[in-house]
């Protein structure tokens, strides 16, 4: 949507609607795929909550009109641009990893059972269960359609025809996708669509928008969405290289940002956990885990599982952008189809490997080495 | 509660209340531990649903009065007795494994994403989230208190003093307990308290009652509760042996019932899944997994994980009955404390091993061998 921070005029209402915030169908497909307008309620609710948890990285909501499906929020002013655009243009954002790590650590930790009581958590889970149509959409376009024949799927044809078929016939891959259990894990309030077009950036500001897919789900889905989309940007760079800029150093910046995001997230998340170890959270009562060695083991086990979850979701998000319904501008803007297909194939092969072998990786550095 | 199947009289109302169905506190502890009366709403809702899914093994609900917290259900007539009593008396129930496997297969399969659409499932999850106080009670008495010092814990003292302390100091055990993630897995509508006092039996009838702890949680919690309580009965047998009956053949019947329950559950559950493979369930779309080899792999992986979950929960349920607040008559009825403590210690040691090594077991027969 387009934000505004004054009393909205009729023009702004129309502008807003034209941006699709409240259209009752899936914008990419059109009116043939209806979608609940109620998602703007969950977007507003999630935005408010995320702003309270990470105020520097989420715009404030000033007004929400449920009947109009209208959200009035802080205008994220120029020179902010959508991160994906910046990644295509080859612009470095030195604070991006730090900021995204902070956003994810705060929003995920404080909505999990590591911080909340069971009562608070279950109440919140129940509220967001009603955003089910949007979960179902995610399930379909991310976890189902790419692995079967679907009228909505598309890919860079004919170059990726056999690659696409191979995805549908890869039993191991499909087994591993099912293991992610997107719909049964009420771990934390996740953004639900944390790709690089849901982030607006300048050199020193990072703003996360558009949490209309928010619900209580697996934390790894957010972390994986962000890392997976950075990997997509990485694999697209060769398609954007030209005589003036071979993009080599930019690729290094992207991989540094990938490792920085995970490593800083790990640090911030576990720090929050340490800070609140005697707090209200009921998952690991301090009275039980109050032993230096055990406390470290608990964190290590939790973070390793979260890492592997995140890698699995990163892979799923990459695959679906290459063989599913919704593609990314990172690749779409490469006009030479042979070149584009080549970039996409490398991304796809990496993602398939990552999905299947995710539990073998111990550090993000190892993952990056495998991508190079 | 005491059931009735005629228009209730005032006496029956009082009788009902005196049975604790609707007392606003935890009966075992007293008024100092308040507990929501609303749990009878969830008990009635779960009973109705479970009856519709497994009519032969759940009494029909005729009437529910929310204000009075009153459930009128089919009277389970004599000679039905509480299963635990039968196990203590050494009575064999030839159809118990078959019936319990059927109850669990039907109630768990049909409320999971293997059968339900995401929309149906999330709506049901949301409804039962409100039974949170009861989840929290389970969390406390099953997963927390036994692993820390708590005023509620008790054990056969002084014989088990060091064993109890050892539980509190067992880091590996505590790590594994946390892995069970009781509160974050919305797999199916579980009974939530499926021990052997929630089952009434005769030689040819098995009736499951008292699902006041029902919510969307891990299936393994029900399976584990039932198997774990059969194991408790098994370890208590030596305490009930006397000159007239050494209980040896009865122990064989119990272990046969344990293996029969799991193996029949496995068979019935996977049959239901096969039967509905092209049904509405959204976890494994047939269009994706429609390949003979892959379909078998999917089921195998799912059932192995469920087996390991069930063993972990069985262990947790055993441990808490020996060192936690609520004990079982199986052991309590052994008046010789040395003998009782001896039975309890063997059960406890087995449960600790099971919790830590559960992923190493491939068959229920192997688990039973480890108990012998
Ligand atoms: N608060 C804001 N300030 C400035 N621009 C915004 C703001 N929110 C959204 N936008 C712009 O509107 C576009 C669409 O908004 P978004 O919330 O992502 O809607 P959609 O659900 O249609 O993707 C964004 O890509 C961004 O360019
Ligand atoms: N439908 C019924 N028919 C006959 N007896 C019943 C029935 N329901 C419960 N009972 C008896 O009442 C006792 C307590 O019922 P239960 O539902 O287990 O309540 P509580 O929550 O107090 O454990 C049972 O152990 C059983 O003996
Ligand atoms: Mg958007
Ligand atoms: Mg949006
Ligand atoms: Mg009972
Ligand atoms: Mg009851
Ligand atoms: Mg009860």
């Amino acid at each position: 949507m387009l934000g505004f921070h004054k009393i909205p005029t009729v023009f702004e209402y129309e502008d807003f609607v034209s941006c699709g915030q409240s259209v009752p169908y899936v914008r990419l497909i059109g009116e043939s795929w209806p979608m609940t307008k109620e998602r703007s309620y969950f977007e507003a609710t999630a935005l408010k909550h995320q702003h309270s948890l990470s105020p520097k990285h989420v715009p404030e909501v000033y007004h929400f009109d449920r009947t109009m499906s209208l959200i009035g929020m802080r205008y994220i002013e120029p020179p902010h641009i959508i991160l994906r655009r910046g990644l295509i243009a080859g612009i470095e954002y030195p604070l991006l990893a730090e900021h995204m790590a902070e956003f994810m650590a705060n929003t995920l930790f404080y909505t999990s059972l590591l911080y909340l009581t069971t009562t608070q958590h279950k109440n919140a889970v129940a509220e967001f269960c009603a955003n089910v149509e949007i979960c179902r959409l995610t399930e379909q376009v991310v976890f189902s359609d790419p692995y079967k024949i679907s009228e909505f799927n598309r890919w860079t044809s004919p170059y990726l025809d056999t690659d696409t078929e191979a995805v549908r016939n890869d039993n191991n891959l499909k087994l591993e996708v099912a293991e992610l259990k997107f719909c049964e894990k009420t771990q934390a309030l996740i953004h639900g669509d944390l790709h690089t077009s849901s982030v607006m950036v300048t050199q020193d500001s990072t703003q996360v928008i558009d949490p209309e897919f928010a619900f209580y789900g697996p934390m790894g889905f957010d972390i994986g969405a962000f890392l997976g989309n950075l990997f997509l940007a990485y694999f697209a760079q060769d398609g954007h290289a030209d005589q003036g800029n071979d993009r080599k150093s930019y690729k290094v910046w992207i991989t540094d940002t990938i490792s920085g995001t995970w490593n800083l997230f790990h640090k911030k998340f576990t720090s929050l956990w340490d800070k609140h170890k005697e707090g209200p959270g009921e998952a690991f009562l301090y009275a039980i885990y109050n032993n230096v060695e055990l406390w470290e083991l608990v964190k290590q086990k939790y973070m390793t599982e979260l890492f592997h979850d995140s890698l699995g979701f990163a892979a799923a998000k990459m695959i679906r952008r290459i063989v599913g319904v919704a593609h990314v501008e990172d690749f779409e803007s490469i006009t030479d189809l042979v070149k584009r297909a080549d970039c996409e194939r490398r991304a796809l092969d990496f993602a398939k490997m990552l999905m299947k072998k995710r539990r073998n990786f111990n550090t993000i550095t190892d993952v990056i080495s495998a991508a190079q």
Side-chain angles (χ1 to χ4, degrees), chain A:
Chain A
M1 63 157 293
L2 286 179
F4 51 82
H5 52 166
K6 300 244 172 60
I7 313 266
T9 64
V10 171
F11 171 75
E12 280 167 318
Y13 268 82
E14 282 181 344
D15 194 28
F16 167 88
V17 172
S18 76
C19 282
Q21 188 64 17
S22 62
V23 292
Y25 49 82
V26 178
R27 211 148 42 98
L28 194 63
I29 306 294
E31 298 185 23
S32 63
W33 192 336
M35 188 44 57
T36 167
K37 277 173 70 182
E38 267 300 272
R39 65 189 192 273
S40 71
Y41 167 76
F42 295 102
E43 176 166 353
T45 307
L47 268 176
K48 284 181 207 165
H49 199 51
Q50 289 168 342
H51 174 76
S52 77
L53 296 173
S54 191
K56 278 189 285 184
H57 304 301
V58 180
E60 188 177 351
V61 171
Y62 300 127
H63 178 77
F64 174 60
D65 182 328
R66 198 162 179 169
T67 320
M68 301 287 288
S69 298
L70 176 83
I71 305 172
M73 72 179 91
R74 184 173 78 79
Y75 177 61
I76 303 169
E77 71 293 345
H80 280 96
I81 59 167
I82 286 293
L83 172 57
R84 197 185 300 283
R85 294 274 164 84
L87 294 166
I88 294 167
I91 304 168
E92 298 186 11
Y93 297 97
L95 299 174
L96 180 64
E98 169 91 27
H99 289 170
M100 287 305 292
E102 182 160 320
F103 168 80
M104 295 194 294
N106 282 325
T107 57
L108 299 178
F109 175 80
Y110 285 111
T111 59
S112 77
L113 279 167
L114 301 181
Y115 180 74
L116 299 180
T117 65
T118 307
T119 310
Q120 295 169 320
H121 189 258
K122 274 231 185 310
N123 288 341
V125 168
E127 181 179 9
F128 278 91
C129 272
N131 203 16
V132 56
E133 283 314 315
I134 220 86
C135 284
R136 209 175 170 182
L137 176 64
T138 300
E139 194 178 48
Q140 175 175 347
V141 299
V142 181
F143 301 104
S144 299
D145 280 358
Y147 304 94
K148 65 187 191 57
I149 289 173
S150 158
E151 55 174 318
F152 300 114
N153 288 344
R154 50 188 200 82
W155 57 88
T156 307
S157 186
Y159 310 101
L160 296 185
D161 287 1
T162 54
D163 301 81
T164 303
E165 204 190 332
V167 167
R168 291 197 303 266
N169 293 325
D170 192 331
N171 286 357
N172 255 330
L173 186 69
K174 296 198 277 187
L175 270 178
E176 287 297 341
V177 172
E179 277 286 291
L180 292 170
K181 302 210 178 67
F182 175 68
C183 274
E184 290 179 358
K185 229 185 238 170
T186 58
Q187 212 173 11
L189 178 61
I190 64 174
H191 178 284
D193 200 23
L194 199 52
H195 53 71
T196 48
S197 291
S198 293
V199 182
M200 296 184 72
V201 284
T202 64
Q203 289 301 300
D204 39 39
S205 162
T206 306
Q207 302 294 321
V208 178
I209 57 170
D210 201 16
E212 68 189 329
F213 286 73
F215 78 111
Y216 274 74
M219 295 180 183
F221 192 69
D222 273 3
I223 304 165
F226 188 66
L227 298 183
N229 275 269
L230 286 180
F231 271 118
L232 290 176
Y234 172 83
F235 283 105
Q237 291 305 315
D238 290 348
H240 301 309
D242 56 29
Q243 285 156 330
N245 186 348
D246 65 7
R247 299 280 180 130
K248 286 217 171 94
S249 74
Y250 193 60
K251 283 167 80 174
V252 173
W253 176 79
I254 296 180
T255 53
D256 285 351
T257 301
I258 290 172
S259 62
T261 300
W262 171 259
N263 290 331
L264 288 167
F265 169 79
H266 187 293
K267 199 174 146 202
K268 287 168 193 284
F269 189 89
T270 51
S271 300
L272 288 175
W273 196 353
D274 281 335
K275 183 174 161 192
H276 295 286
K277 65 186 168 191
E278 297 181 68
E282 290 187 300
F284 296 91
L285 292 183
Y286 196 55
I288 299 176
Y289 296 94
N290 175 16
N291 163 296
V292 181
E293 193 196 342
L294 179 59
W295 188 253
E296 289 311 310
L297 272 172
V298 159
K299 285 189 292 186
Q300 206 177 299
K301 222 174 165 183
Y302 192 98
M303 297 310 284
T304 300
E305 204 182 297
L306 183 52
F307 184 55
H308 294 157
D309 264 20
S310 301
L311 297 181
F313 285 118
K317 295 286 253 175
M318 292 177 74
I319 293 167
R320 75 99 157 195
R321 293 295 194 175
I322 299 166
V323 305
V325 56
H327 285 230
V328 287
E329 214 185 312
D330 309 65
F331 292 130
E332 299 293 288
S333 58
I334 303 168
T335 45
D336 177 338
L337 290 193
V338 175
K339 233 188 216 175
R340 184 200 295 177
D342 205 56
C343 292
E344 289 178 319
R345 184 177 300 107
R346 280 186 293 120
L348 183 62
D349 288 344
F350 169 74
K352 284 165 63 178
M353 178 283 299
L354 192 58
M355 178 72 82
K356 291 188 245 184
K357 305 248 180 273
R358 63 187 187 270
R359 293 183 200 82
N360 299 349
F361 290 102
N362 294 316
T363 67
I364 189 76
T365 312
D366 294 342
V367 179
I368 289 166
S369 299
Q372 281 160 343

